[in-house]
Amino acid sequence: EDQVTQSPEALRLQEGESSSLNCSYTVSGLRGLFWYRQDPGKGPEFLFTLYSAGEEKEKERLKATLTKKESFLHITAPKPEDSATYLCAVQAEGTNKYIFGTGTRLKVLA
Amino acid sequence: DTEVTQTPKHLVMGMTNKKSLKCEQHMGHRAMYWYKQKAKKPPELMFVYSYEKLSINESVPSRFSPECPNSSLLNLHLHALQPEDSALYLCASSQLRVPGELFFGEGSRLTVL
């Protein structure tokens, strides 16, 4: 069964304290892995697409990486405005369905 | 700014009411989705339309009725809802290619009294 697991469930960081979020997946043929940021009461905002092992993408303080089993979202020197829930989703081959993980709630303290 | 527009942003309805949620996108995407999201939970897929035809229905109760009038519009008709249906309803769209990123609207916050 296709599955996505994110850890940790919640993370509190001091401003400037770098860390990584994990997304482990089991899927029968990966079409793509996606990272989203979601602020409370808003729709998820697309961040990155990764679709082959070894691929990396960067945007400001965020860097996403992909292996055959997991993806990491590295946050370098985070700021309070990076506080949000970060969602990981995978799209399996032969389907138009996206399987979401339960997310990591990130809180960055000033 | 999101290019998927959802209306209304907030909706309060009684269990006997009939209402509709609307979604519009002008990115030329040919797949459109309805998701339901409860607090501190991930989005849960309800329906997928591909080329204006319903392609996925995740065993959603019939009190939710989707409609895709054209390639830019997606509606969700609501009737005889239950309080447990209160949630954030998200519309999304994507291109039908590999891989296809989902682009979400801001959501419609539904409260059923």
Side-chain angles (χ1 to χ4, degrees):
Chain A
E1 184 184 344
D2 299 335
Q3 195 169 342
V4 177
T5 303
Q6 290 188 247
S7 62
E9 189 175 313
L11 181 62
R12 290 167 70 93
L13 300 173
Q14 291 294 322
E15 185 173 4
E17 180 187 1
S18 302
S19 189
S20 296
L21 314 183
N22 177 264
C23 171
S24 298
Y25 64 91
T26 305
V27 66
S28 50
L30 180 70
R31 264 189 163 185
L33 184 142
F34 310 90
W35 282 98
Y36 291 86
R37 170 197 169 120
Q38 186 173 25
D39 293 303
K42 300 280 186 75
E45 174 191 347
F46 169 72
L47 294 173
F48 302 111
T49 302
L50 304 164
Y51 56 91
S52 58
E55 190 174 3
E56 298 183 353
K57 294 273 180 73
E58 284 189 68
K59 180 180 178 179
E60 296 180 355
R61 295 178 292 282
L62 300 176
K63 179 180 176 180
T65 62
L66 181 66
T67 72
K68 289 187 177 180
K69 298 286 187 187
E70 60 191 349
S71 176
F72 291 93
L73 185 65
H74 307 280
I75 304 178
T76 302
K79 298 182 178 183
E81 53 262 42
D82 295 322
S83 298
T85 295
Y86 290 86
L87 292 165
C88 168
V90 299
Q91 185 184 19
E93 281 183 355
T95 177
N96 225 20
K97 292 172 71 168
Y98 296 75
I99 303 159
F100 280 85
T102 51
T104 294
R105 294 192 305 280
L106 174 66
K107 178 76 172 175
V108 182
L109 304 170
Chain B
D1 289 339
T2 181
E3 295 185 65
V4 178
T5 304
Q6 290 188 243
T7 56
K9 291 194 186 319
H10 300 276
L11 178 63
V12 179
M13 60 187 291
M15 290 191 283
T16 58
N17 292 157
K18 285 185 180 181
K19 297 285 184 183
S20 297
L21 305 181
K22 297 185 183 301
C23 174
E24 189 170 6
Q25 59 90 11
H26 293 290
M27 294 180 281
H29 291 170
R30 301 309 297 272
M32 296 187 76
Y33 307 74
W34 280 115
Y35 282 86
K36 173 182 177 180
Q37 189 177 29
K38 292 276 206 177
K40 297 187 178 181
K41 297 289 187 183
E44 178 185 336
L45 182 64
M46 300 175 71
F47 303 103
V48 182
Y49 274 83
S50 301
Y51 295 107
E52 298 90 67
K53 293 193 188 312
L54 184 65
S55 58
I56 298 175
N57 177 341
E58 292 288 271
S59 303
V60 178
S62 59
R63 56 186 185 268
F64 295 92
S65 176
E67 179 194 20
C68 190
N70 59 54
S71 60
S72 299
L73 294 174
L74 185 66
N75 299 320
L76 186 63
H77 302 296
L78 314 171
H79 174 54
L81 295 192
Q82 304 296 310
E84 58 264 30
D85 296 322
S86 298
L88 182 68
Y89 287 84
L90 295 163
C91 174
S93 69
S94 74
Q95 296 186 31
L96 284 166
R97 62 172 173 80
V98 178
E101 298 88 355
L102 278 176
F103 291 90
F104 285 88
E106 290 290 284
S108 292
R109 170 71 61 189
L110 173 66
T111 302
V112 182
L113 302 176

